[in-house]
């Protein structure tokens, strides 16, 4: 039985631990995460297909799962910092400042704000 390194060289596969290969995948994942709202499972499948297409060997599925999750979280958080054109505040500024009024419209606004915060992925808020 031939060692895996020989098979890897013979068929032209590269190792994911190579910095250039992992950097290319991370950059590709970021561009997908910033430009679209793809589900994690779809992003994982697309990344797997890209690794196969580029002949890159991955040590395990959990490595790619963690990478996809990290990229999605970071892209989401960075998106909160970008101010929308014409807006005076970034989405993060808008979400972090609650209403100071006690009224029915303020309650509706607070509930809407809570939904927006939960949509970002902050699920521990009761």
């Amino acid at each position: 039985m031939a060692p895996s390194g020989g098979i890897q060289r013979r068929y032209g596969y590269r190792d994911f631990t190579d910095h250039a290969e992992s950097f290319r995948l991370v950059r590709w994942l970021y561009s997908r995460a910033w430009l679209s709202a793809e589900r994690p499972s779809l992003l994982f499948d697309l990344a797997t297909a890209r690794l196969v297409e580029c002949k890159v060997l991955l040590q395990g599925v959990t490595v790619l799962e963690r990478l996809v999750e990290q990229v999605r979280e970071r892209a989401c958080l960075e998106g909160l910092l970008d101010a929308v054109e014409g807006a005076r505040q970034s989405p993060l500024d808008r979400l972090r400042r609650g209403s100071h009024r006690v009224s029915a419209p303020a309650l509706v606004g607070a509930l809407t704000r809570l939904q927006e915060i939960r949509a970002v992925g902050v699920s521990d808020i009761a």
Side-chain angles (χ1 to χ4, degrees):
M1 189 166 192
S4 62
I7 294 171
Q8 184 176 341
R9 278 192 303 276
R10 180 175 182 163
Y11 292 103
Y13 281 86
R14 294 177 301 280
D15 195 27
F16 181 73
T17 57
D18 176 24
H19 180 70
E21 295 303 327
S22 59
F23 179 76
R24 282 186 198 108
L25 180 65
V26 169
R27 187 177 61 194
W28 181 83
L29 282 169
Y30 270 114
S31 67
R32 297 290 305 211
W34 281 324
L35 298 175
S36 63
E38 295 165 335
R39 296 182 327 271
S41 59
L42 178 61
L43 198 54
F44 177 86
D45 290 344
L46 291 170
T48 301
R50 181 162 175 90
L51 288 171
V52 169
E53 178 184 315
C54 295
K55 291 188 168 188
V56 176
L57 293 175
L58 191 62
Q59 295 166 339
V61 175
T62 56
V63 174
L64 187 57
E65 285 177 353
R66 281 188 230 122
L67 182 61
V68 166
E69 185 60 31
Q70 284 176 334
V71 167
R72 281 181 43 92
E73 280 183 25
R74 182 165 280 171
C76 177
L77 293 176
E78 286 178 1
L80 289 175
L81 298 176
D82 296 332
V84 179
E85 190 171 324
R88 293 175 42 194
Q89 298 177 324
S90 72
L92 180 62
D93 285 334
R94 193 176 48 75
L95 290 175
R96 72 184 184 97
R97 296 175 199 228
S99 175
H100 298 289
R101 295 185 192 154
V102 179
S103 66
L107 177 60
V108 171
L111 292 173
T112 302
R113 182 172 159 260
L114 178 61
Q115 286 177 328
E116 290 175 2
I117 291 170
R118 285 186 173 157
V120 169
V122 182
S123 59
D124 294 335
I125 296 176

